[in-house]
């Protein structure tokens, strides 16, 4: 498995665990009405489970599994895939920062995730072909 896949899937798992843990805090807080501050974490919960986990695990697995060119390790536009993983995680970092500093952070994070989706599309497009073609 390539390093990029290993790291993106590992990061995705960390996001899944963190996202579910925050989800649990939100759920308990909703059930017992303990405090107001946990609601600041809803954006982070959504960022972690939808982008940190779902998008990132797709990128990691697809980068590994889509057909390659010629040799098994020639994956074509590799920098675009790297940019996608970096942008996903910068978006998460931005939302974490937003919990403490800026309410506008999810807007900036969304731009990062748009870059992530487009750059992964740019990477993957030529690899959507028959194996060996
Ligand atoms: C991969 C799995 C998950 C996904 C894709 C997901 C997605 C979401 C989304 C999109 C929202 C925002 C809903 C809104 O703004 O109306 C949300 C809110 C929430 N999630 Fe999750 N979630 C996941 C797992 C979990 C888990 C495991 C828990 C609890 C242990 C949880 C607890 C909550 C709670 C309590 C809210 C706030 C709901 C409210 O506004 O009352 N989530 N989730």
């Amino acid at each position: 498995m390539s390093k990029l896949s290993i790291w993106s899937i590992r990061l995705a798992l960390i996001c899944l665990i963190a996202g579910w843990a925050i989800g649990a805090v939100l759920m308990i807080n909703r059930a017992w009405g303990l405090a107001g501050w946990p609601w600041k974490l809803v954006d982070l919960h959504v960022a972690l489970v939808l982008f940190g986990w779902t998008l990132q695990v797709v990128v990691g697995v697809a980068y590994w599994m889509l057909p390659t060119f010629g040799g098994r390790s020639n994956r074509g536009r590799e920098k675009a895939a790297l940019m996608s993983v970096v942008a996903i995680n910068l978006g998460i970092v931005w939302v974490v920062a937003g919990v403490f500093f800026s309410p506008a952070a999810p807007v900036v994070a969304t731009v990062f995730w748009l870059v992530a989706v487009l750059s992964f599309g740019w990477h993957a497009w030529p690899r959507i072909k028959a194996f060996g073609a």
Side-chain angles (χ1 to χ4, degrees), residues 78-130:
E78 294 182 4
K79 282 185 183 147
L82 178 63
M83 185 192 277
S84 177
V85 174
V86 170
I88 290 171
N89 290 289
L90 283 178
I92 304 283
V93 169
W94 215 268
V95 177
V96 172
V99 171
F100 300 102
F101 304 115
S102 159
V107 178
V108 180
T110 304
V111 175
F112 277 121
W113 295 324
L114 190 63
V115 169
V117 169
L118 292 177
S119 57
F120 191 70
W122 176 250
H123 165 80
W125 190 266
R127 293 182 64 189
I128 302 169
K129 63 186 183 77

Side-chain angles (χ1 to χ4, degrees), residues 16 20 23-24 26-27 30 39 42 45-46 49-50 53:
L16 180 69
W20 279 25
L26 290 172
M27 207 169 56
R30 173 170 281 279
W39 294 113
V42 175
H45 168 69
V46 174
V49 292
L50 286 185
W53 163 248

Side-chain angles (χ1 to χ4, degrees), residues 2-81:
S2 71
K3 272 191 182 165
L4 188 136
S5 294
I6 290 170
W7 280 105
S8 63
I9 295 169
R10 281 181 182 164
L11 286 166
L13 278 171
I14 291 170
C15 289
L16 180 69
I17 292 164
W20 279 25
I22 291 173
V25 169
L26 290 172
M27 207 169 56
I28 290 166
N29 187 58
R30 173 170 281 279
W32 289 315
L34 301 176
W37 65 263
W39 294 113
K40 282 183 163 188
L41 301 175
V42 175
D43 285 347
L44 183 55
H45 168 69
V46 174
L48 286 166
V49 292
L50 286 185
F51 296 96
W53 163 248
T54 312
L55 178 60
Q56 188 153 224
V57 81
V58 167
V59 167
V61 174
Y63 181 78
W64 169 38
M65 296 200 71
L66 285 172
T68 52
F69 304 98
R72 283 282 295 128
S73 60
N74 181 359
R75 293 186 161 82
R77 299 164 180 167
E78 294 182 4
K79 282 185 183 147

